[in-house]
Amino acid sequence: MAAGTLSGLTPVEAIALVGVLGVGAQWLAFRLNLPAIVLMLGAGLIVGPVLGIFDPARDLGALTGPLISVAVAIILFEGGMTLNLHGLRDAAKGVKRLVLVGAPLGWLTSALALHYGAGLSWATASVFGGVMIVTGPTVIAPILRQARLARRPAALLQWEAIVNDPIGALAAVLAFEVVVVLNTAPATAESTAWHMVLGILLALALGLIAGLAIAWIFRRALVPEYMKVPVLFVTVLAVFALPNGYLHESGLLAVTVMGLVIANAKLPSFVELRRFKEHATVLLVSGVFILLAAGLDVEQVLALDWRAALFVALVVLVARPLTVLLSLAFSGVPWRERLFVAFTGPRGVVLVAVAGLFGERLVAVGIADGAQVGALAFLLVAVTVVVHGFGTKPLARALGLVAAETPGVLLVGGSRFSVALAKALEKLGVPVLITDINIRRLRRARSEGIDIFYGDILSEAAERSVELVGFGTILAVTDNDSHNTLVATDLAPEFGRESVLQLSRDHEDSKRRALPVSLGGRRLAGDLTYDVIDQRMIEGHKVRVTRLTEEYTLADWQAARPDAMVLAILPPDGTLRFTGGKPLEKAAKGTRIIALAKEVVDKEDNDKELAEKELAEREGNVVADAEQAEVLKAEAEEDASSATGSNTGSNTNSNSGPNTGGTARDN
């Protein structure tokens, strides 16, 4: 290979190359809408086995193993911090089944696939089969982000991946210890069993104590804000290292438990801690994949025969589906979700790292076919990453499990302007949801058949009830400038600052009232404030959609509507773009312009508007009476109990969020 002709990189150059390739692959995947894991895997193979530019064993030496181990520990800890028990809801039973029934069943089916498919001995198959319980949070997270799944199937996959990772590592430890006992003196069996039990108990206790201690210290402000993340990192490393010294890989269980405890401690600074950990995890995931792909032993992979392909096919098409379908039988999980989870089981870095380690240990105790474990693990990871990376979204779409085929728009604030904008967006096929903490402000939206959520969008109730993953843009359009700024600031890290917009604040240009650029979102309608827009709506302005053609160009539109405020455009490519109120300089034919304007140009629009007004006048009294009754009922329920919020305008499905539907009617 070319690697032998190169002098190699220094450790600093190697680490820099890994960072650039990993983050660069993720950015390129974002731009091309491709699975990031596939590009990271390809980048590692190119700079490693193909070109020989980077060889971890040569350029990093003994640091490679510890770096991967620490990275996996931090990834699992961050995964544990995402496991909020309140977020399980109706997925709780399915998750329990996948962990309590699925883990041992997956161990058995994987061992059978290894023995009868790959032709490995029972000793090697039992050890490797334990490792194969894991499905890999490093792979699941990017796939879920791209597929935009509905809440429950996403929760099932996420919890299974994170919880079963340390279980799989410990299962491999248990199987390996049994193999060692069978190949040595039988008298050591009892001591080995006690060693395993004590190691697991130590990991559980240490993770629990560390999580409770961190929560107690942070809640009482015993650690200053700027030191919380460093203290957390150091604690994670210590919690990972201590039990590992007694029982190998038990540290993974400890850090996962620690993250789970912190996630459910309701710390005020938890959001900031999790976001920082998410950023670190993005770097670590990309780095680990580059390291593993670049360090691949090509000769071992090429030495595999047809039985390796049979093994992969058995795992993907038989072992995984059989495990999931049996685990979730009679669990209440809909069959579509069971089928989706059954055929979604990508493997990640934990499998490769742990399998390679135990393969070497099996060879050391005299089991020759343990040398095949590393190559088989990498082959399984590569195939499942590619198959599920490209196939998960189409499968979810075919089963109807995508939260929203078209990214929706969430409008925070129920006003005549937000309702008019929502109606215009719905005409273009864009899903919309209007939220407000005041039930009265939602009457207009409900009467128009627009989906609503009664409650604070920043509340836990909204987090549990609203499919936020189905929305790509947030518009803060309430009459409270401070609340708009709070919503935009809080949701910007999750949705992206370019996708969170708010109305201009009153007296925003005043030096005494100006806010830092880090607060709030982009402007939705230029300098127009809530009061100005509301006054224009009273004076007859409407949110209109106009389609440009060869005969009716942008110049014609601008000449007919000189005072119009452009809000968004929908180009022929179908990507909705909010302009921030900036004037349009160019727009291709077929582009639809959404703007706040007064005049009505088309006779067809005039006739339609008159017909809608006439219908509203005939049914106005009935609608008003029905609305008033619903409002009084909602207010009575709110007084009687502290309801967490509900979709009062339409039926709510716990799996896919508020249903769209209803007949639009102009008041």
Side-chain angles (χ1 to χ4, degrees):
M1 288 186 296
T5 64
L6 299 177
S7 59
L9 304 173
T10 66
V12 174
E13 293 172 340
I15 293 174
L17 178 63
V18 169
V20 170
L21 290 175
V23 176
Q26 295 210 41
W27 175 81
L28 189 61
F30 164 75
R31 297 293 299 175
L32 300 178
N33 196 26
L34 293 174
I37 298 298
V38 175
L39 294 187
M40 288 188 284
L41 198 64
L45 291 173
I46 291 173
V47 299
V50 176
L51 299 178
I53 297 174
F54 174 49
D55 181 3
R58 178 194 68 200
D59 302 329
L60 294 175
L63 290 175
T64 305
L67 284 175
I68 293 177
S69 296
V70 170
V72 170
I74 295 174
I75 291 168
L76 282 182
F77 169 70
E78 192 276 334
M81 287 185 68
T82 65
L83 302 182
N84 191 314
L85 296 176
H86 295 291
L88 267 180
R89 297 199 307 154
D90 50 350
K93 189 174 182 180
V95 170
K96 291 177 183 177
R97 292 284 195 93
L98 288 174
V99 174
L100 299 179
V101 180
L105 193 57
W107 190 355
L108 174 62
T109 55
S110 298
L112 291 173
L114 284 163
H115 180 70
Y116 292 106
L120 298 182
S121 64
W122 280 115
T124 303
S126 63
V127 176
F128 190 14
V131 183
M132 286 176 57
I133 292 175
V134 307
T135 52
T138 56
V139 186
I140 286 292
I143 288 178
L144 294 182
R145 190 179 301 118
Q146 182 200 30
R148 304 177 68 89
L149 285 179
R151 182 186 295 105
R152 185 163 54 195
L156 288 172
L157 289 172
Q158 185 180 39
W159 276 77
E160 180 201 18
I162 296 170
V163 175
N164 277 354
D165 253 30
I167 293 177
L170 291 174
V173 173
L174 174 61
F176 178 75
E177 295 291 347
V178 172
V179 169
V180 170
V181 168
L182 293 176
N183 285 271
T184 56
T188 61
E190 185 176 351
S191 62
T192 299
W194 275 110
H195 183 74
M196 280 285 302
V197 172
L198 290 177
I200 292 174
L201 291 177
L202 174 64
L204 287 171
L206 190 59
L208 179 63
I209 293 171
L212 293 175
I214 286 290
W216 187 83
I217 291 171
F218 284 8
R219 189 176 288 114
R220 285 159 179 76
L222 299 180
V223 175
E225 198 69 26
Y226 73 93
M227 286 193 64
K228 286 184 177 179
V229 171
V231 167
L232 197 61
F233 260 114
V234 171
T235 306
V236 170
L237 295 178
V239 169
F240 172 66
L242 288 175
N244 255 15
Y246 182 79
L247 179 66
H248 200 75
E249 303 303 328
S250 62
L252 297 178
L253 177 62
V255 296
T256 304
V257 171
M258 177 182 168
L260 180 61
V261 171
I262 294 175
N264 293 275
K266 295 185 178 180
L267 295 177
S269 55
F270 172 72
V271 175
E272 291 78 7
L273 294 175
R274 191 178 69 179
R275 283 174 182 164
F276 185 87
K277 300 295 292 179
E278 288 173 349
H279 297 160
T281 302
V282 169
L283 293 172
L284 293 173
V285 167
S286 58
V288 169
F289 260 94
I290 298 295
L291 284 173
L292 292 175
L296 175 66
D297 189 336
V298 179
E299 294 180 357
Q300 283 189 354
V301 176
L302 294 178
L304 297 174
D305 56 15
W306 62 270
R307 302 201 66 161
L310 176 61
F311 153 69
V312 173
L314 287 174
V315 170
V316 175
L317 300 177
V318 180
R320 170 67 180 176
L322 185 64
T323 297
V324 173
L325 294 177
L326 289 178
S327 300
L328 296 180
F330 309 107
S331 64
V333 177
W335 70 268
R336 287 186 176 85
E337 297 178 14
R338 278 182 277 164
L339 197 62
F340 177 78
V341 175
F343 285 95
T344 306
R347 268 59 175 188
V349 295
V350 177
L351 176 68
V352 176
V354 178
L357 172 68
F358 281 104
E360 296 174 358
R361 292 188 172 190
L362 287 169
V363 173
V365 297
I367 301 177
D369 60 0
Q372 301 180 42
V373 168
L376 286 172
F378 191 90
L379 178 64
L380 179 62
V381 169
V383 171
T384 56
V385 160
V386 173
V387 170
H388 296 301
F390 286 105
T392 298
K393 190 171 184 178
L395 178 62
R397 185 185 295 115
L399 294 174
L401 298 178
V402 178
E405 193 68 35
T406 301
V409 176
L410 192 152
L411 296 99
V412 182
S415 64
R416 53 172 60 90
F417 168 69
S418 62
V419 171
L421 179 55
K423 288 176 60 180
L425 293 172
E426 282 191 336
K427 289 179 181 178
L428 299 176
V430 178
V432 294
L433 176 71
I434 296 180
T435 76
D436 205 302
I437 58 176
N438 189 328
I439 189 66
R440 291 185 178 89
R441 295 173 183 166
L442 294 173
R443 286 184 300 173
R444 188 188 305 269
R446 185 174 57 241
S447 67
E448 297 288 357
I450 298 171
D451 286 340
I452 62 172
F453 172 77
Y454 169 42
D456 194 330
I457 193 60
L458 302 180
S459 66
E460 289 187 4
E463 187 176 348
R464 294 193 298 267
S465 303
V466 179
E467 290 280 3
L468 288 177
V469 71
F471 298 96
T473 306
I474 306 294
L475 306 180
V477 291
T478 73
D479 59 352
N480 187 324
D481 290 336
S482 297
H483 186 66
N484 290 342
T485 301
L486 176 62
V487 169
T489 303
D490 188 78
L491 297 180
E494 181 176 352
F495 288 86
R497 296 191 180 277
E498 70 283 352
S499 300
V500 178
L501 301 93
Q502 69 178 100
L503 295 177
S504 180
R505 300 167 58 247
D506 283 326
H507 308 292
E508 190 170 2
D509 295 332
S510 171
K511 292 184 178 180
R512 292 182 179 273
R513 302 191 183 187
L515 296 177
V517 293
S518 58
L519 297 180
R522 293 197 299 128
R523 291 185 177 184
L524 171 63
D527 296 330
L528 300 187
T529 64
Y530 177 91
D531 291 335
V532 172
I533 291 178
D534 193 55
Q535 183 60 38
R536 290 193 180 186
M537 296 292 294
I538 293 173
E539 294 173 355
H541 284 67
K542 296 183 179 296
V543 178
R544 302 188 178 279
V545 179
T546 306
R547 182 176 181 272
L548 301 182
T549 63
E550 290 185 357
E551 294 78 18
Y552 193 76
T553 64
L554 175 61
D556 298 328
W557 182 87
Q558 290 173 332
R561 299 170 174 84
D563 299 327
M565 170 60 68
V566 179
L567 302 173
I569 60 172
L570 186 66
D573 63 7
T575 304
L576 182 67
R577 301 170 191 169
F578 284 87
T579 63
K582 297 179 180 177
L584 293 180
E585 296 182 357
K586 59 180 180 179
K589 68 174 182 178
T591 298
R592 290 175 170 84
I593 301 176
I594 303 99
L596 180 65
K598 184 175 183 180
E599 70 280 354
V600 177
V601 177
D602 298 328
K603 181 179 183 300
E604 181 181 350
D605 288 344
N606 277 323
D607 294 342
K608 183 178 179 181
E609 185 177 4
L610 290 173
E612 290 177 344
K613 286 183 177 180
E614 184 179 352
L615 177 62
E617 289 176 359
R618 289 199 304 266
E619 301 181 356
N621 293 332
V622 177
V623 172
D625 293 342
E627 288 177 359
Q628 185 64 24
E630 290 185 19
V631 170
L632 292 175
K633 180 180 177 181
E635 290 175 345
E637 291 175 351
E638 184 181 10
D639 293 337
S641 63
S642 55
T644 58
S646 62
N647 186 336
T648 57
S650 60
N651 293 332
T652 301
N653 184 293
S654 62
N655 180 33
S656 60
N659 296 330
T660 55
T663 304
R665 186 168 57 243
D666 210 7
N667 248 349

